[in-house]
Amino acid sequence: MFCQIKKHITTSFYRRGSSLKNIYALETSDGAINVEVDDDEEEEACELVNGTEVSVDGVEGYLLTAVKNNNGTGLLLLSDVFGFQDSATRDFAYRVACNGYNVLVPDLFRGDPWSKNRPKSEYEEWRRGHDPNRIRQDTTTFTKWMVEEFAAAGISKKLGVMGFCFGGGRVVDVLATDESGYFSTGVSFYGTRIDSAVAGDVKVPVLFIAGDRDPLCEVKGLYEIEEKIGEGSKVVVYEGRGHGFVHRPETPEDDRDAEEAFALMRNWLHHHLI
């Protein structure tokens, strides 16, 4: 498998509105979520994250790795329709890397992401131009590349996959076709057009996070998919939140729930991957 490392970048930045306070999300025995914020203790500043542009078999990607606290675990992050270079996606990937992960964000659209400047009437035609089988093959290629990189480094830990919106919908596809058992878990943020027919093929637990006012990700459908996947998966619904609230918060209420959702995701990944 051919891989070209294009550029090495050292970055240090924070997502808009993000708090440096430690936030703890605890699940109680009845399934409720309690969130505690430690006002006296602040998260250690993530001073150094390495960002590297990569090309795997001619497909672009972006790899973010923690320098000081790298836990040797990898995450494949699947973007929304605005692509792997979008600032909101990269900011979120950076925050995840700050927690010790190696985060790989592939270019799902091969240089042709959706743009807010394009007429909405063109959206379906644009989407049809991106063959689901081709996207599935590209994600498989990047997954195998991560596995090979880990093997070369003497690391045997499995991977996790997460995604937003379009990418959140593809999380189920990726896990359902993971015949080699590379992935130990998945996190889907308000996934769109999830193929519930393949959910029964998913063999690892998945965390689904969504808002109850999201017309693009119906909560009822998520519960049905959770049931098909089986024991271990979980759906967490935020009251009053719409589409994209975790990685594209627009209000103080979005910011608050985005921080809680990030804490839930962080604890979920730690439990299933570390």
Side-chain angles (χ1 to χ4, degrees), residues 44-48 66-70:
E44 180 181 356
C46 185
E47 298 175 352
L48 195 63
V67 175
K68 294 174 63 176
N69 60 335
N70 196 300

Side-chain angles (χ1 to χ4, degrees), residues 142-184:
F142 273 91
T143 300
K144 291 181 177 179
W145 179 78
M146 288 192 78
V147 171
E148 291 172 1
E149 288 292 303
F150 277 21
I155 300 171
S156 60
K157 291 183 179 180
K158 290 185 178 180
L159 310 176
V161 57
M162 67 172 63
F164 309 106
C165 314
F166 178 92
R170 309 291 72 72
V171 165
V172 173
D173 293 341
V174 169
L175 294 176
T177 56
D178 182 26
E179 297 179 357
S180 299
Y182 292 135
F183 294 103
S184 295

Side-chain angles (χ1 to χ4, degrees), residues 222-233:
L222 291 183
Y223 283 117
E224 293 173 352
I225 291 170
E226 176 197 23
E227 184 176 353
K228 287 185 177 181
I229 295 176
E231 185 177 357
S233 291

Side-chain angles (χ1 to χ4, degrees), residues 127 132-133 136 165-177 188 190-202 206 208 216-218 221-222 224-229:
R127 184 147 178 164
N133 292 324
R136 190 176 299 112
C165 314
F166 178 92
R170 309 291 72 72
V171 165
V172 173
D173 293 341
V174 169
L175 294 176
T177 56
S188 174
Y190 27 80
T192 59
R193 305 190 191 185
I194 301 176
D195 185 359
S196 61
V198 303
D201 296 328
V202 176
V206 182
F208 295 93
L216 303 179
C217 179
E218 294 185 359
L222 291 183
E224 293 173 352
I225 291 170
E226 176 197 23
E227 184 176 353
K228 287 185 177 181
I229 295 176

Side-chain angles (χ1 to χ4, degrees), residues 18-258:
S18 65
S19 170
L20 293 182
K21 297 182 186 297
N22 275 339
I23 301 177
Y24 303 95
L26 306 174
E27 183 175 350
T28 61
S29 58
D30 62 357
I33 303 297
N34 290 337
V35 176
E36 300 176 358
V37 179
D38 190 336
D39 291 321
D40 298 322
E41 179 182 0
E42 290 197 342
E43 216 175 17
E44 180 181 356
C46 185
E47 298 175 352
L48 195 63
V49 167
N50 286 338
T52 306
E53 295 179 2
V54 301
S55 177
V56 181
D57 288 357
V59 182
E60 306 299 311
Y62 195 66
L63 177 66
L64 285 154
T65 59
V67 175
K68 294 174 63 176
N69 60 335
N70 196 300
N71 60 31
T73 302
L75 290 168
L76 186 68
L77 194 158
L78 308 178
S79 73
D80 59 18
V81 296
F82 299 107
F84 83 118
Q85 293 181 323
D86 179 79
S87 61
T89 294
R90 290 206 176 181
D91 286 2
F92 193 92
Y94 169 83
R95 290 194 71 199
V96 176
C98 280
N99 283 267
Y101 294 95
N102 304 285
V103 185
L104 179 59
V105 191
D107 178 10
L108 300 178
F109 309 109
R110 295 198 173 190
D112 180 35
W114 179 250
S115 169
K116 294 179 180 179
N117 297 324
R118 298 175 70 166
K120 291 182 179 179
S121 59
E122 297 179 0
Y123 179 76
E124 293 300 331
E125 181 181 358
W126 168 84
R127 184 147 178 164
R128 285 193 296 270
H130 293 285
D131 179 32
N133 292 324
R134 192 272 303 161
I135 292 175
R136 190 176 299 112
Q137 181 58 49
D138 284 352
T139 56
T140 299
T141 298
F142 273 91
T143 300
K144 291 181 177 179
W145 179 78
M146 288 192 78
V147 171
E148 291 172 1
E149 288 292 303
F150 277 21
I155 300 171
S156 60
K157 291 183 179 180
K158 290 185 178 180
L159 310 176
V161 57
M162 67 172 63
F164 309 106
C165 314
F166 178 92
R170 309 291 72 72
V171 165
V172 173
D173 293 341
V174 169
L175 294 176
T177 56
D178 182 26
E179 297 179 357
S180 299
Y182 292 135
F183 294 103
S184 295
T185 191
V187 180
S188 174
F189 293 93
Y190 27 80
T192 59
R193 305 190 191 185
I194 301 176
D195 185 359
S196 61
V198 303
D201 296 328
V202 176
K203 300 299 189 293
V204 299
V206 182
L207 173 63
F208 295 93
I209 294 176
D212 66 353
R213 295 186 181 179
D214 185 346
L216 303 179
C217 179
E218 294 185 359
V219 171
K220 179 181 177 181
L222 291 183
Y223 283 117
E224 293 173 352
I225 291 170
E226 176 197 23
E227 184 176 353
K228 287 185 177 181
I229 295 176
E231 185 177 357
S233 291
K234 187 173 184 62
V235 175
V236 178
V237 179
Y238 285 86
E239 184 178 355
R241 302 284 74 80
H243 196 67
F245 74 94
V246 177
H247 75 306
R248 298 181 186 279
E250 297 180 349
T251 67
E253 292 76 18
D254 281 353
D255 275 327
R256 179 199 64 212
D257 287 346

